[in-house]
Amino acid sequence: MVPDPLTKEMWEKVVGEWRTRGEEFTLMEWIIHSRCLTETVLKQSLAAGTGSRMLEEILPVCDSEKDASSSVLENNGFLVGKDSENRKVVAGGKELPPSLEEYLGVNHFSWEWVLLNPVRKSNSKPDFAAGSEKESSPDQSTLMKRVESLLIEASANFASDIHFERFDGRLVIRRKERGGMENMGIWKEPECSECLRILKRQANISTAQLSLPQDGRLEVKQGPSRLSFRVSHIHAVNGESLVLRLIGKESILPEPEQLGMPSTLSTRAKTSLLYERGIVLCTGSTGSGKTTTMCSLISSLNKHCLKILTIEDPIEFDLSNATQCAVNPSTGWTFSEALKAFLRQDPDIIMIGEIRDEESAAMACRAGLTGHSVLSSLHAHSPVAALDRLQAWGLAPGILAESIRLVIHQKLTVNPKSKIRKAHFKWISGDPDEIYSYYLNKTIPASWPVPDNPLAPSTSDGVSYPVT
């Protein structure tokens, strides 16, 4: 019998450790001691999984009341007795039985399988802290408010990410601001485990898949609006790390111009998506706002009657004018697989959260060459570097020249006094002849941004951006 929140592999691991190291505990006590499940969750899971009652204790029976069934159960390590209403009950000993019928045959109907309080042994509560004060489960609602306050505080300080790092029974909480990390506190058990459990539950991250990295999304209410966070979780050898990235404070996306995008570039991007067909790339470093820019461009096309499909990892903004899908590698729903399916959906515009490999790059080019508009992001330190990365994936210069329509590069700067972030933009208009010539000769046309300093002011009419 495996408690529902645990996988079969995790259950076998816990049972194995209990047999070699946990002789002073019952199996259920060891599950809690190993911090796999809290007492409350374990009780609910076991009771729901067996349909049994939970008892604080079993009353002893005298020898004259015992029968053959009692002897069979006791010989297999089970505790037999009666409840307060004198009904015959049996609880697990060294092993949890799959069913009483396996041991008693038709006589199992006269017994009731019950569960003892998981943290009781000989009517006493063991000290899980090995000599320290006994732990008590923190109040869930109070802890949830503390977690929400942390996230709101980090947002108010213009943090881009909040890190929850658990090692050696401690949870170190830090926020990333421009210039470094700022400590927000250190939590110990039991708040340490409960904080992570709350965040995972809110972000729909499974507590069963312990070996695989997982992503999710959660929201926190802040007055009339909501804060949205993208959540990333990984397990390490000696702990785990959960990182929240602030992705939006308002449910309504700002217009591209409100993000700092020049009107010339905004018009160019919308025109390319609506009429030219091909690929529009948003490039930049991690956290530079590429996803926000792409979603803003999609949202600004709301007045047009279009079939817009998106594949994201995860979905960060709700787009009323698009059909949005999230990547799910466990089911095989990857960027590449989604693109293959999208091409059969008669789309006008396809938004890909990120081009990550040769396969997704080739599929994006194929979509652009077959009459679709593709909007995607790519990690690169300049628009020219983005072109080089695509070629490094083995795509032919002719195919890239015919499919690329616009390469946008952006970078965020933060005013050290006001903490206001501003995006700066440079771009390459996708003239096929210029792109093809660059791939053949590696000579940068005069109208393109200078790759050594992609954010330097330019006098070219085709390349401009707002200066802070």
Side-chain angles (χ1 to χ4, degrees):
M1 182 180 63
V2 180
D4 182 61
L6 295 180
T7 62
K8 183 176 183 295
E9 291 75 16
M10 189 63 185
W11 172 257
E12 292 174 348
K13 177 183 177 182
V14 171
V15 172
E17 292 176 346
W18 169 66
R19 287 172 174 160
T20 57
R21 299 164 50 196
E23 292 183 356
E24 69 273 24
F25 302 116
T26 66
L27 175 56
M28 291 185 286
E29 289 169 351
W30 179 255
I31 293 175
I32 300 171
H33 175 72
S34 302
R35 308 198 190 286
C36 292
L37 298 175
T38 63
E39 177 185 351
T40 301
V41 172
L42 180 60
K43 282 183 179 181
Q44 294 172 346
S45 301
L46 291 175
T50 63
S52 305
R53 291 186 294 145
M54 188 75 68
L55 296 181
E56 293 295 325
E57 61 181 345
I58 290 181
L59 303 177
V61 295
C62 61
D63 291 339
S64 61
E65 294 177 317
K66 293 182 179 180
D67 55 16
S69 296
S70 303
S71 299
V72 171
L73 292 169
E74 287 183 339
N75 291 337
N76 282 279
F78 303 116
L79 181 63
V80 300
K82 57 186 177 181
D83 63 10
S84 58
E85 298 180 3
N86 211 35
R87 288 178 293 189
K88 295 166 67 175
V89 295
V90 57
K94 289 296 183 181
E95 297 286 351
L96 295 178
S99 69
L100 291 177
E101 186 176 4
E102 178 179 334
Y103 298 87
L104 303 178
V106 294
N107 294 329
H108 81 277
F109 290 109
S110 61
W111 291 83
E112 181 185 4
W113 167 249
V114 297
L115 297 171
L116 290 177
N117 186 326
V119 292
R120 289 295 179 94
K121 182 178 183 181
S122 301
N123 293 326
S124 63
K125 183 177 292 187
D127 183 4
F128 290 144
S132 63
E133 293 184 4
K134 296 176 183 179
E135 298 176 351
S136 59
S137 298
D139 180 77
Q140 294 291 311
S141 59
T142 301
L143 190 57
M144 183 64 200
K145 290 179 181 178
R146 288 180 62 188
V147 173
E148 290 179 349
S149 297
L150 277 174
L151 302 184
I152 293 173
E153 177 190 348
S155 172
N157 284 276
F158 298 93
S160 61
D161 301 85
I162 305 100
H163 294 245
F164 295 82
E165 298 161 325
R166 179 186 177 184
F167 302 104
D168 300 324
R170 300 188 310 159
L171 182 67
V172 179
I173 306 172
R174 301 185 294 171
R175 65 174 181 254
K176 174 168 283 186
E177 300 176 7
R178 183 173 177 81
M181 303 283 280
E182 182 76 20
N183 287 328
M184 299 185 69
I186 298 176
W187 291 11
K188 297 182 179 180
E189 296 292 359
E191 286 83 3
C192 170
S193 297
E194 290 301 316
C195 174
L196 289 176
R197 189 170 289 111
I198 286 173
L199 290 170
K200 293 175 188 176
R201 184 172 63 246
Q202 294 293 322
N204 291 321
I205 288 178
S206 171
T207 57
Q209 297 182 13
L210 300 180
S211 60
L212 298 176
Q214 297 183 75
D215 296 309
R217 176 183 174 182
L218 65 81
E219 293 185 342
V220 174
K221 189 173 182 181
Q222 184 185 30
S225 62
R226 303 185 74 84
L227 298 174
S228 295
F229 296 89
R230 184 176 64 196
V231 184
S232 173
H233 177 263
I234 61 171
H235 268 276
V237 174
N238 58 340
E240 57 186 311
S241 173
L242 190 145
V243 179
L244 279 67
R245 168 159 293 180
L246 181 63
I247 56 176
K249 293 188 177 182
E250 303 291 343
S251 58
I252 300 177
L253 275 164
E255 288 290 320
E257 291 82 358
Q258 293 175 297
L259 297 175
M261 181 179 288
S263 57
T264 305
L265 175 56
S266 174
T267 301
R268 176 74 180 85
K270 294 175 187 177
T271 300
S272 181
L273 291 172
L274 287 172
Y275 307 114
E276 293 183 356
R277 309 305 183 191
I279 301 175
V280 175
L281 277 178
C282 290
T283 69
S285 60
T286 300
S288 60
K290 300 184 295 295
T291 301
T292 302
T293 297
M294 290 195 299
C295 290
S296 176
L297 286 170
I298 293 295
S299 180
S300 68
L301 302 177
N302 191 43
K303 64 180 180 179
H304 300 274
C305 187
L306 300 169
K307 175 72 171 184
I308 303 176
L309 299 172
T310 78
I311 178 66
E312 305 167 64
D313 184 22
I315 295 173
E316 299 185 7
F317 295 96
D318 294 326
L319 301 172
S320 60
N321 59 334
T323 300
Q324 296 176 269
C325 302
V327 168
N328 188 352
S330 62
T331 63
W333 186 245
T334 61
F335 283 115
S336 298
E337 291 302 316
L339 271 172
K340 294 175 185 176
F342 284 179
L343 293 177
R344 297 190 292 269
Q345 287 282 313
D346 187 30
D348 296 304
I349 299 175
I350 297 173
M351 190 183 95
I352 309 169
E354 182 184 348
I355 294 178
R356 295 181 174 177
D357 51 35
E358 179 180 347
E359 185 179 7
S360 57
M363 289 297 298
C365 287
R366 174 188 168 190
L369 291 173
T370 53
H372 303 90
S373 291
V374 179
L375 177 63
S376 186
S377 71
L378 186 68
H379 286 288
H381 61 78
S382 72
V384 173
L387 296 177
D388 292 339
R389 176 159 297 181
L390 290 172
Q391 187 181 32
W393 276 324
L395 298 175
I399 292 177
L400 292 172
E402 289 298 324
S403 59
I404 295 174
R405 292 291 171 263
L406 182 65
V407 182
I408 302 170
H409 180 77
Q410 67 184 84
K411 181 178 181 180
L412 282 183
T413 60
V414 181
N415 188 306
K417 294 183 178 180
S418 65
K419 299 286 187 178
I420 295 176
R421 293 183 291 179
K422 190 175 183 65
H424 302 264
F425 294 85
K426 287 254 181 178
W427 70 93
I428 293 174
S429 293
D431 180 87
D433 293 335
E434 286 187 340
I435 293 178
Y436 188 70
S437 175
Y438 168 74
Y439 279 129
L440 291 181
N441 307 314
K442 293 299 179 182
T443 300
I444 300 175
S447 61
W448 288 16
V450 180
D452 294 335
N453 188 6
L455 297 180
S458 173
T459 57
S460 170
D461 293 336
V463 183
S464 62
Y465 67 95
V467 180
T468 303

